[in-house]
Amino acid sequence: MSTTTLSPASVRAALDGDPAGTTTVLTPDDDGYEAARAIEPGGVEWRPAAIVRPVDAAGVARAVRFARDAGASVSVRAGGHSALGLGRDHGALTIDLRSLDSIEVDPDGRTAWAGGGLTAGAYARAVGEHGLVTPFGDTASVGIGGITLAGGLGLLARSHGLTIDSLTGAELVTADGEVVLVDEREPELLWALRGGGGNLGVVTRFRYALHELPTVVGGMLMVPATPESVAGMVEAAAAAPRELTAILTVMIAPPMPFVPAEWHGRGVIMANVCWSGDPETADAGLAPLRAVADRAGGAIVDMIRTGPYSGLLEEAPGGSIVATAGTFLADAVDGEAAAHALAELESSPAMMRAVQLRVLGGAVADVAPDATAYAHRDAGMVGYVMAAGPSAEAVAGYRPWVGALVERLRQRDGAYAAFVPDGDPALARSVYPGATWDRLAAVKRAYDPQNLFRANVNVPPR
Ligand SMILES: Cc1cc2nc3c(=O)[nH]c(=O)nc-3n(C[C@H](O)[C@H](O)[C@H](O)COP(=O)(O)OP(=O)(O)OC[C@H]3O[C@@H](n4cnc5c(N)ncnc54)[C@H](O)[C@@H]3O)c2cc1C
């Protein structure tokens, strides 16, 4: 829980009339407070005493100094997609970064500076105009802030690595309210920002490397889910050249217009794939996945197209859906595990339920486990089990089901920060194992000894 309850009046007095006159302050009585605190997916009871929305690093620094002096904890809101990973202490003061959405692209220098409140989709579109990319996740509306600081697993993972593998610097507001430039001259801090979550401060701008990739071949292939097709898709995706990345979601087909009616309510694999090699070679690269589909009776939907990488990033569904989830690491899914997962998905009463398998390797595994604060480089797969429903009450009943399926599929210790449910403190040590934990805790002590930033997968100062 927060150490101090801030009075709305004190926040207003300190920050509403700040010297720049630019920070917006919202307290629970204000119109706009409810909309500003909404996060995706819904159902998280997150009610800070105030939400402040600065427009620059100086405004963020003022808010941080105010919270520190008041003895209040701080949470950071960027894209607002971390309902499952925000942490239990949601902070007395929330710093909303959505107005920090600038982007400067230097195509010749292959570098972009992007505001900490930008979304992955807006970033991908802006750099895509120059035929360039930085790898992000599968969803456009996710904030670059949360996904970058966690690691960043997406459709270019096997070819271009995690988002943090392209993170070359940052502008950071530390717990003492200083604005510091982090680059290779601050190696420990840069190491910690590459996967250490929001533990070190507020990143007001990120600097990324850009890679030339004007077009990719990708999209969604929907395949009938059988134990053989699930195991076969995982195996084919893991054996594919690194130009191919696949995110395989095993689920009960929703009654969406693009799904043929006879498949509604039946088990399918929604394979989101991306071929980032020469488009001419895409058919050969994708052939093993299509062969699995053929053996299962043929693809149900094939939406694989040539186009810009930004076109593969979809908007989150939004709305009032509430979800619970769990995560695991594995290297393979055999027929028996796949059969178990399918039976569980078919019998669960949850409105929506899915097992997502992100097949890694390639460029992710090229980087040494101790080179960044993301330590699980050698895991072949990050998995995610999700159950969703109309209300928090309904969803609470699905937690044991999620937990049991996660344990059945888990093959390795560890967890990915961005998928940790409810910021579960017990899982923080598996996100940051052994030496990673010790090193992160030491950086934390140097930059945030009071643990001002703890609304995250928290590593307390050593
Ligand atoms: C629909 C959906 C799809 C997703 N897809 C993927 C995916 O493909 N790959 C993947 O890796 N993850 C994915 N995620 C997980 C996502 O990366 C994390 O939940 C991430 O934390 C969301 O970032 P955000 O900025 O949108 O969220 P927020 O809730 O705004 O921020 C999350 C946390 O990150 C920290 N933070 C954010 N920005 C900053 C900043 N600038 N400075 C300091 N701290 C900051 C804070 O601790 C904050 O509490 C997905 C999540 C959702 C809901």
Side-chain angles (χ1 to χ4, degrees), residues 7 42 68 98 109 114 197-198 200 206 220 230 260 336 356 368 414:
S7 81
R68 178 203 59 190
R98 276 176 285 184
L200 288 319
F206 292 92
M220 196 266 284
V230 173
E336 209 178 305
Q356 191 175 72

Side-chain angles (χ1 to χ4, degrees), residues 184-203:
E184 55 290 340
R185 288 166 296 183
E186 293 276 358
E188 277 307 285
L189 202 43
L190 187 56
W191 173 88
L193 288 179
R194 289 175 166 152
N199 276 292
L200 288 319
V202 188
V203 178

Side-chain angles (χ1 to χ4, degrees), residues 40-41 76-82 86 97 116 137-139 142-143 145-147 149 152-153 198 201-203 206 316 358 416 418-419 455-456:
E40 166 79 31
V76 177
R77 200 266 191 217
H81 276 56
S82 67
L86 189 65
L97 299 179
D138 57 12
T139 300
V142 163
I147 191 169
L149 295 170
L153 293 180
V202 188
V203 178
F206 292 92
R358 292 174 180 248
Y416 171 41
F419 293 164
N456 44 45

Side-chain angles (χ1 to χ4, degrees), residues 9 12 22-23 27 40 68 78 85 93 95 97 157 193 200 212 239 311 337 340 351 355 389 399 418 420:
R12 265 192 207 295
T22 46
T23 299
T27 59
E40 166 79 31
R68 178 203 59 190
L93 184 75
I95 303 179
L97 299 179
L193 288 179
L200 288 319
E212 195 174 339
H340 179 84
M351 193 171 88
V355 175
R399 285 208 184 107
V420 166

Side-chain angles (χ1 to χ4, degrees), residues 367-379:
V367 178
D370 63 355
T372 66
Y374 177 94
H376 307 292
R377 297 282 179 172
D378 52 356

